[in-house]
């Protein structure tokens, strides 16, 4: 006997209600031991990690906000956020969205599901929404657990931003939560790619790996000195652009572009997956996908989307070169130094001085006279100058800067010792970390400050 699938609409049977199908698909996902382990890990592990690391003498200073984990509980959540954007969220989308359709191929249950639901379109919608629900639960666990662990271990204290300004606990809470909400958008884009891989490649394990492989490839690309328009047009940029929330004023340009690009990717990948799903042959029980189908129905359209977004970003923004220029770096460094100098002044119980009174400026050079003063690298050398009220002499401090291609930089103090040459300062209450010794900053890639 030959089994055939009757196309929707050719019989009088009505499709199963969407809500019932959604509950059914969500129950199937939550009943899997793999999903339960992931949920348990996401809701417990971050709190333990933040609480333990915050009590260690060696902090993850190579991660943004890691050097502040002794100071405030909010820093720990941002360290987890940075790790999640690099590894956790792409892997979670692969394990959930990348397997939601392929699981039916492995089990051979498509015919039973089509008979029960009587609508391929509704099957696609319910599976996509159910997988998105699970991903939101996982992301919420990472956020809530890391915040609770940090607040219990360190406390609800002010947070130092990436330009040195201090956020009070209320502002820190709101900004940290907003950062977690922002990264849900690129997670949605990678989930859509997972749906596309799961539909296009069937039982093949490559479908499961598509979001992870895409994330890995984009991470490698982000490390290169790409043209600014290309960098902003990649869906991974939004996983980094949340850092701009922790400057004053907020660096909204890269963030909004990154979120828009990710929404475009989410819509395009979902539409491609939906189209492939409705056109597939459900009677083929050994379906392992088709390389030609994946190339023509997934890879090429997404590559075209990248080309379109690069052209639009280049035309609509002042993006040019790598986005890392001497004037931008000097402005960012001088602002951060002025804010952190006030923080050090408070630690030492010296008379307060405002940023306007300090009139901090910076002069930077990259690699000597024979190298252009632009682009990423660890060969930036900057001299910061500032003034104190009532003093005729001009204070200077030297920094070696390691500037990453994505705009983040680490400023390493190189003297004088009493200002930024030692990792601690002696305060009336004992030794304390020196905020001017090493600190993180973030260059706005879209800032078009005039040269001078």
């Amino acid at each position: 006997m030959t089994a055939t699938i009757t196309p929707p609409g050719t019989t009088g049977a009505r499709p199963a209600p969407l809500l019932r199908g959604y509950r059914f698909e969500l129950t199937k996902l939550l009943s899997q031991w793999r999903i339960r382990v992931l949920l348990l890990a996401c809701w417990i592990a971050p709190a333990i990690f933040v609480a333990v690391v915050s009590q260690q003498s060696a902090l993850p200073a190579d991660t943004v906000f890691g050097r502040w984990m002794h100071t405030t509980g909010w820093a720990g959540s941002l360290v987890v956020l940075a790790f999640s954007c690099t590894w956790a969220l792409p892997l979670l989308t692969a394990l959930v969205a990348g397997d939601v359709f392929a699981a039916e191929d492995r089990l051979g249950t498509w015919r039973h599901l089509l008979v029960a639901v009587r609508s391929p379109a509704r099957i696609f919608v319910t599976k996509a929404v159910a997988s998105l629900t699970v991903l939101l639960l996982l992301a919420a666990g990472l956020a809530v657990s890391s915040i609770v662990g940090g607040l219990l271990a360190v406390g609800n204290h002010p947070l130092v931003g990436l330009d040195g300004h201090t956020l009070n606990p209320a502002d820190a809470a709101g900004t940290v939560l907003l950062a977690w909400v922002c990264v849900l958008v690129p997670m949605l884009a990678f989930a859509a790619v997972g749906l596309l891989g799961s539909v296009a490649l069937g039982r093949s394990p490559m479908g499961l790996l598509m979001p992870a492989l895409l994330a890995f490839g984009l991470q490698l690309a982000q490390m290169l000195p790409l043209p600014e328009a290309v960098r902003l047009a990649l869906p991974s940029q939004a996983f980094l652009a949340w850092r701009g929330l922790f400057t004053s004023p907020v660096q909204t340009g890269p963030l909004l572009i990154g979120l828009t690009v990710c929404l475009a990717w989410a819509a395009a990948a979902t539409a491609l997956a939906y189209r492939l799903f409705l056109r597939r042959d459900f009677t083929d029980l050994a379906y392992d996908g088709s390389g030609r189908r994946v190339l023509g129905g997934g890879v090429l359209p997404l590559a075209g989307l990248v080309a379109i977004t690069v052209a639009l970003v280049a035309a609509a923004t002042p993006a040019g070169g790598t986005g890392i220029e001497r004037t931008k770096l000097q402005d960012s460094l001088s602002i951060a130094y002025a804010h952190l100098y006030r923080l050090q002044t408070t630690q030492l119980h010296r008379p307060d001085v405002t940023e306007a009174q300090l009139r901090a400026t910076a002069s930077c050079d990259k690699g000597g006279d024979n190298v252009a003063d632009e682009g990423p690298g660890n060969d930036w050398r900057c001299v910061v100058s500032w003034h104190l009220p009532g003093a005729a002499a001009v204070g200077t401090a030297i920094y070696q800067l390691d500037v990453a291609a994505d705009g983040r930089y680490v400023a390493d103090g190189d003297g004088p010792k009493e200002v930024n040459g030692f990792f601690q300062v002696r305060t009336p209450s004992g030794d304390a970390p020196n905020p001017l010794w090493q600190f993180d900053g973030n260059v706005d890639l879209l800032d078009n400050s005039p040269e001078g």
Side-chain angles (χ1 to χ4, degrees), residues 36-52:
R36 293 182 178 182
V37 170
L38 289 175
L39 284 169
L40 192 65
C42 289
W43 281 88
I44 296 178
I48 298 175
F49 168 80
V50 173
V52 171

Side-chain angles (χ1 to χ4, degrees), residues 117 270 283 390:
V117 179
T270 303
T283 62

Side-chain angles (χ1 to χ4, degrees), residues 143-407:
V144 173
S145 180
S146 60
I147 290 173
V148 172
L151 295 180
L152 292 178
V154 183
N156 184 21
H157 304 300
L159 173 70
V160 176
L162 289 178
D163 63 348
H165 82 289
T166 301
L167 290 81
N168 62 49
D171 289 338
T175 309
V176 169
L177 290 175
L178 180 59
W180 276 101
V181 171
C182 287
V183 302
L184 295 179
V185 180
M187 184 188 74
L188 180 65
F190 279 81
V193 172
L195 295 178
L196 177 59
S198 185
V199 170
L201 293 171
R203 297 185 302 174
S204 171
M206 288 303 298
L208 182 66
L209 295 176
M210 273 190 67
L213 292 176
L214 176 65
F216 181 72
L218 292 177
Q219 284 180 39
L220 293 179
Q222 291 282 4
M223 297 171 64
L224 301 175
L226 297 174
E228 186 181 355
V230 176
R231 180 178 302 279
L232 294 174
L234 297 177
S236 58
Q237 176 62 26
F239 273 144
L240 303 172
W242 60 266
R243 300 170 183 171
L245 296 171
F246 295 88
T247 62
S248 181
V250 174
Q251 298 174 5
T252 55
L255 178 61
L256 293 178
I257 292 175
L259 297 180
T260 303
V261 168
C262 286
L263 289 175
W265 267 70
T270 303
L272 292 170
Y274 180 76
R275 179 172 176 269
L276 289 177
F277 184 75
L278 294 187
R279 292 187 172 189
R280 68 162 290 178
D281 179 14
F282 293 97
T283 62
D284 184 2
L285 300 182
Y287 179 73
D288 285 327
S290 167
R292 182 179 177 183
R293 196 178 185 194
V294 172
L295 182 64
V299 176
L300 291 181
L302 292 180
L305 177 60
V306 172
I308 293 173
T309 51
V310 169
L312 291 176
V313 171
T317 67
T322 62
I324 299 173
E325 303 168 359
R326 179 172 62 90
T327 52
K328 294 181 183 181
L329 201 57
Q330 290 175 167
D331 292 342
S332 176
L333 180 62
S334 61
I335 291 173
Y337 183 88
H339 289 311
L340 294 172
Y341 188 92
R342 291 194 65 190
L343 181 60
Q344 187 192 69
T345 297
T346 303
Q347 286 181 326
L348 299 176
H349 291 199
R350 292 174 179 171
D352 192 19
V353 58
T354 66
E355 289 84 357
Q357 291 172 322
L358 284 173
R359 291 177 290 157
T361 58
S363 176
C364 296
D365 176 76
K366 185 180 189 294
D369 297 335
N370 297 325
V371 179
D373 294 332
E374 62 180 7
N378 60 0
D379 53 350
W380 284 93
R381 184 178 185 273
C382 300
V383 178
V384 180
S385 304
W386 75 97
H387 305 76
L388 289 177
V394 178
T396 59
I398 301 172
Y399 282 95
Q400 305 291 335
L401 267 63
D402 185 358
V403 185
D406 57 23

Side-chain angles (χ1 to χ4, degrees), residues 54 68-76 150-151 154-160 172:
S54 297
W68 299 107
M69 289 183 69
H70 281 163
T71 307
T72 174
W74 298 108
L151 295 180
V154 183
N156 184 21
H157 304 300
L159 173 70
V160 176

